[in-house]
Every structure is written in C-alpha cells, then in structure tokens.
Amino acid sequence: MIKRFHAVTLLAAMAIGSVGVAQAEGPEGRNDLSACVAGRPSILAQVHGFKSDVGIVRGQVYSGVAADFLEKGKWLRRVEAPRTREAVMTICLPVSSPGNYAIAIRHDANDNGKSDWNDGGGFSRNPRLSLLNLKPAHSDVVVTVPSNNPLKIDIVMQYRRGLTIAPLAPLSLPVVPGNKR
C-alpha cells in the first residue's frame, strides 16, 4: 500500500522530473501570460486553494490521448513559476493547435524538487481524488481548447489531509460547463 501510495502521490502531485529553473524556449518554460491572447490557442488556468505562499507551481499539458495522460515525458508543455502571495495564481499554458487537452498542476510546496507529503496537485475540471484514486480518468479532466481565444479554467488545489486528499477549504467556483465539483 505504501509503495502504491508513493507512486500515485507522485502522479497526483505532478512530480514528474526535477524542479529547476525553466527555460523560456521550447515546450518547457516560464509562466508568460502574454502567450495567452486572442487569436492563439491556449489555456489560462486560475489556480485556487494553495496551502502556502512558497514553493514552485508547475502546470503540464497532456494531449487528448488517454494513454499519454500523466505518463513520464508525455506532456506537451510544462510551465513553472514561483508561488506568489496572490490567493489565485494565473498560469498560461500555450498549445500548438485547438483540440482536446488535459491539464495537471503541481505545487512543490517546499521547492525541493521531490514529491512529498506536503505537495499538492490539481487537474482541469477538478475531479475528486482519494488515496485510492489519485490519478483521475483522462475523460474526467479533458477540456477542449478553441482556436480564437484562451480557454479559461479554474483549478482547485488538493492536498493530503490525514487519510484524505481534498481541497483545504470548500471553494465556491463559478458554475462552468465541465467543472466536476
């Protein structure tokens, strides 16, 4: 059970690879809000419910192919940013074309580059997680990105609390088609 928990926690917290200073070029980069503008396909994630104001926040975009979801090295785009003091952190995730994508957000709360008990994670469409179900189904997180405007989504962070995985506090998000909460 412990081995399974560690592996699944790794997925839920999106601790794939090491955390470091991201390069601005290529599929991995910094959080550049100017890349999420009209006329370009992109995802503008409003991330809520952070445990702390420190650490690194990483957003990863996966394709519409279920077999690639949360698989090591299968992300299409990765964006990292230092955690800020704002209650809601905006993450821009540019994509190459309109279509179906799955979004995962990880909060490396102590910025140690490893998945540990204090880290949190969240997904597009906010599926419920549990210790027995830390990897949501691809169909529960996939969103459709249009060609002409950024897709705006809300993601609620979830953290381990005792023997549960859940948001730290109930949040009232706007009713948006596709939100699973």
Side-chain angles (χ1 to χ4, degrees), residues 112-135:
N112 68 354
K114 299 177 184 176
S115 178
D116 47 48
W117 290 96
N118 293 316
D119 294 342
F123 298 94
S124 43
R125 296 180 56 204
N126 297 303
R128 292 192 187 277
L129 302 176
S130 72
L131 290 177
L132 300 175
N133 181 31
L134 287 169
K135 180 181 176 182

Side-chain angles (χ1 to χ4, degrees), residues 44-62:
L44 200 55
Q46 301 290 318
V47 187
H48 307 257
F50 286 99
K51 183 178 198 172
S52 69
D53 294 339
V54 297
I56 296 292
V57 177
R58 173 187 292 161
Q60 291 183 171
V61 178
Y62 292 87

Side-chain angles (χ1 to χ4, degrees), residues 31-181:
N31 187 29
D32 180 6
L33 297 179
S34 69
C36 287
V37 296
R40 293 186 191 165
S42 58
I43 300 116
L44 200 55
Q46 301 290 318
V47 187
H48 307 257
F50 286 99
K51 183 178 198 172
S52 69
D53 294 339
V54 297
I56 296 292
V57 177
R58 173 187 292 161
Q60 291 183 171
V61 178
Y62 292 87
S63 73
V65 178
D68 292 344
F69 182 53
L70 297 179
E71 293 298 318
K72 185 174 183 175
K74 296 288 186 167
W75 48 265
L76 302 174
R77 166 95 44 193
R78 181 183 345 203
V79 172
E80 292 182 353
R83 173 67 181 112
T84 61
R85 291 189 176 270
E86 288 80 26
V88 178
M89 194 167 169
T90 302
I91 305 292
C92 172
L93 299 158
V95 293
S96 60
S97 61
N100 292 328
Y101 297 93
I103 312 307
I105 301 289
R106 175 187 181 231
H107 178 206
D108 183 0
N110 60 4
D111 192 14
N112 68 354
K114 299 177 184 176
S115 178
D116 47 48
W117 290 96
N118 293 316
D119 294 342
F123 298 94
S124 43
R125 296 180 56 204
N126 297 303
R128 292 192 187 277
L129 302 176
S130 72
L131 290 177
L132 300 175
N133 181 31
L134 287 169
K135 180 181 176 182
H138 183 262
S139 60
D140 288 342
V141 299
V142 72
V143 293
T144 302
V145 176
S147 61
N148 54 348
N149 287 308
L151 175 67
K152 295 179 182 177
I153 62 173
D154 285 291
I155 294 179
V156 178
M157 296 301 297
Q158 298 187 53
Y159 296 87
R160 184 189 64 82
R161 297 187 312 168
L163 295 176
T164 64
I165 303 291
L168 295 177
L171 293 172
S172 61
L173 292 176
V175 177
V176 176
N179 272 356
K180 297 297 274 185
R181 293 208 155 269

Side-chain angles (χ1 to χ4, degrees), residues 14-30:
M14 296 312 304
I16 299 171
S18 63
V19 175
V21 177
Q23 300 300 312
E25 300 85 26
E28 190 170 359
R30 61 184 169 76

